[in-house]
Amino acid sequence: MRRTALLASAALLAGLLPWAATARAADEPAPVPVDRFEGEVPFAAQPAEGIFTWGGDSDDPPALRLADRADAPEGGKVLAGSYDISGYGGFTHDYAATAPAHDWSAHRGIRLWWDGRNNGRKIAFEIKDGGANGEASELWTTSFTDDFTGWKQVELPFTDFVYRTDYQPVGGIDHVLGLKETWGYALTLPAGTKGDFAMDGVELYGTADQALRASVTTDAPVVPVREGRTAEVRVTVATTGEQPLADPVTVTYATADGTASAGTDYTPVSGTLTFPAGTASGTTRTVAVPTRGDRAAEPAETIPLKLTVSGAKAPAETPQVVVDAHGLPYLDPRLPVRKRVADLLGRMSLAEKAGQMTQAERGAMTQPGDIAGYALGSLLSGGGSTPTPNTPAAWAKMIDGFQLRTRATRFQIPLIYGVDAVHGHNNLSGATVLPHNIGIGATRDPSLAYRTGEVTAAEVRATGVPWDFAPCLCVSRDERWGRSYESFGEDPALVQSMETVIQGLQGRANGKDLSRDDKVLATAKHFVGDGGTAYGSSTTGTYTVDQGVTEVTRKQLEDIHLAPFRTAVERGVGTVMPSYSSLDIAGDGKGAVKMHARGDMINGVLKDRMGFDGFVISDWNAIDQLPGDYAAHVRTAVGAGLDMMMVPYSYKDFTATLTDEVKAGRIGEDRVDDAVARILTEKFRLGLFEHPYADTSGAAAIGSGAHREVARRAAAQSQVLLKNAGGLLPLKKSEKVYVAGSNADDIGNQTGGWTLTWQGASGNTVPGTTVLQGLRRAGGDVTYSKDASAPTGGYDVGVVVVGETPYAEGVGDVGNGHSLSLSEADQAAVDKVCAAMKCAVLIVSGRPQLVGDRLDGIDALVASWLPGTEGEGVADVLYGRRPFTGQLPVTWPRTEAQLPINVGDASYDPQFPYGWGLTTLTRVPKGGTATLRDLGARAAAAERHGDDRSGRALVTEARLLVQQKAGDHLTEAVSAPFADADHLLLTGRYGKAVEKLAQAYRAA
């Protein structure tokens, strides 16, 4: 993401003479120029000093020039430019990040001349303040509107600048605009239509008087208090630059009418607080508000405390003392949850119920007070939506601040906050980032899947988040899909076996563990069929597969796509999220219908037939994809069985529309009551009513050695050895190893999408260990050359780590700027290294890559998937600390033309079949058909006796025997029964599985 802002050097500033373009007050000092645009500051690129442009993509940065203008307000030139921005774009005057900052604290503000177009567009103006250098500072922003024609001097008082909450590059320092260390400015230009602009004469103006430099704040906007106790509201005065007050500041306070009654519920108070001249910045005074007890059960009641400030800037909002709700049955934790839900539901208004059904994005709220104003039931962080700084403590503080706002509502119903923690707490910097689901599926280890769920839940809940939008239970049937790595595999039986992760996240299926400080509510997604969308069926932007249409028979739907959700419901999953995709069931006469509109599936199958008793949450803005106007979207979605709507930016419209539709009789009140009851049930189970705030006692375990050890083991077990000619792997410590490839030393590529941001990013994005670092830590004799440009002579073996760069969802669809082929650079690295020495090629990717044309020249081939932050796990199997045990969770195709290709297909001739995975450090049984007959008989006996452990072990022995014989000679006659055997193993049919393997053995 872009960095903004910086200034001219001190030397340049000192050399510029003040100029007087406008009149000023007699006692106002001369302005101090910042930019004259006469050529004194060059156009440049970071980190050199100069003016540079930036944007969301290659077309977004504006085109800038220094233009001669006879009407220039100052000098003869102006800064002019043109733009056509679809995402975001603008320009910055940047000063070298390590040079001394500038002291602007003596000035009232910054101003500039702007050549108005009278187009009504807003131009954002940003400055960087404080911190160690320009790349470690706070961003503060304001804006002005182009609603005039011709040149006008636009003044931007520093008091108008606000701390950016949507993005901060390095984190908050003190959240005070001190102006003593200012690093520069930037302008963000309007997006959406073409335009041009001209500006001139940026300067500092005026003298900072105390009314502009001092501010009064309260410790909290909401101050809860138990009935009969005294609330204390702390009032603090602060100054920019942290200087003592030059003049007195007075704060007159008085309680006012809220929902509490003066004299009955509280004792009115009023008075004046005085902060004399010389008072230190940060000084605090306290206002005490006594409340009265009457022993009657009551909802919460509010007491606004109005503040009138003289000599400083007043608080942004009026603080409210809140007498906590008390004595009502729903507050009694001794009652059964169903009784608490019934009591609370019976007290709620329609508006309060609508609020509970609404989920907003935390960064999209107009103001934090909207939580209480709209009685919001939930907030979320979308991918990359994080607090500043992005630390566990900042997450907990942020969510506690949101929860505090709910205390100002009648019934003080806590928020349920959700995140996409899809492979660990992946939005949090420093969290343990686990392999993506495709790698977990490759481990074939349900106990490990359970453990990864435990690690994720513990790290998520320790930051105050009780709800995880995971796991994805999609059955990926076409690896051209950009979400295929979010699937455990292509076989519903494999997906079902990995659903132990739900217990890892939630605990026991009855929900009794949800209130623990290391458990979270899980989400089974995306119901139903999102892994089956046909290539080319998507109508979303340039997507090719994601959000497309799944065409199935009723039997295919039941056997493939619904099966994992049956298991999830049996395991007590708390929430379910429908898919963006459409479902077209052969013969039902409906055609392709968006899943968010399929009441027959959500109400009929999920809730009624399967007995799901949790709540259904929509996907991000998904109801906007339904046909009709917005009221129709709401009617359709609620009627189909959705209980909570993820409406990140349109929460106000949703609550208003839902309320109107119920009042008009177009949505039944019973449907609303059912939805709200389901939501409240999970909030009670989570213990949020008793403990709404973050329990950070487990924060020390975030990214801990113990958690990373789980991730390391998962990375090791997820590695699938596809080829190992001559037993090249495992490597020997004595061998000289030449490492190359784009993904050998790139933790961003190694962790993939959904890592810190939605799409993820290449580079040094998160703490962890790359594959290269893992090899070095293992004690290997390693030389690294990313592009294989270093001499290749004198090495025993090469390890080339190649694959994909990060992506998420439809952005990663093949045909949408992505393919299943290695990049030219990766191909060149493979070719050069493998021509010079024996080589092992590791493919770090979210899906199979087509390597058939190079396979003969590769001695060992490993599917490394997206192993997460623990590259030492990959090194563990390469150097033999652990054996290779992973198996393909999806079929590895020969060509893209074969796709979709899946286990059980009538025609099945892949490069490597589903379930394939060679081993190291493992004894392969001796014998042939007679051995297989014996294994089959014993496996059938184990099946009859319910001895799953023995049955699986016997099938594994047979599989190793077949793989040893088949070697590199995989034909359809071998691959088809081999893949079928792995499906049979996962469904507990051990005898039949060995029969299939015997068939493959005979064909090999």
Side-chain angles (χ1 to χ4, degrees), residues 979-999:
D980 289 343
D982 202 59
H983 171 73
L984 290 165
L985 165 65
L986 288 163
T987 55
R989 290 172 286 177
Y990 308 123
K992 289 290 185 183
V994 177
E995 285 183 22
K996 284 289 184 180
L997 288 168
Q999 180 184 337

Side-chain angles (χ1 to χ4, degrees), residues 484-497:
S484 60
Y485 65 77
E486 293 188 55
S487 172
F488 290 111
E490 70 185 33
D491 182 355
L494 175 57
V495 176
Q496 288 173 286
S497 72

Side-chain angles (χ1 to χ4, degrees), residues 420-426 432-437 456 751-755 868:
D420 286 280
V422 300
H423 61 141
H425 197 355
N426 44 256
T432 306
V433 180
L434 297 149
H436 271 292
N437 283 354
T456 300
T751 51
W754 289 110
T755 306

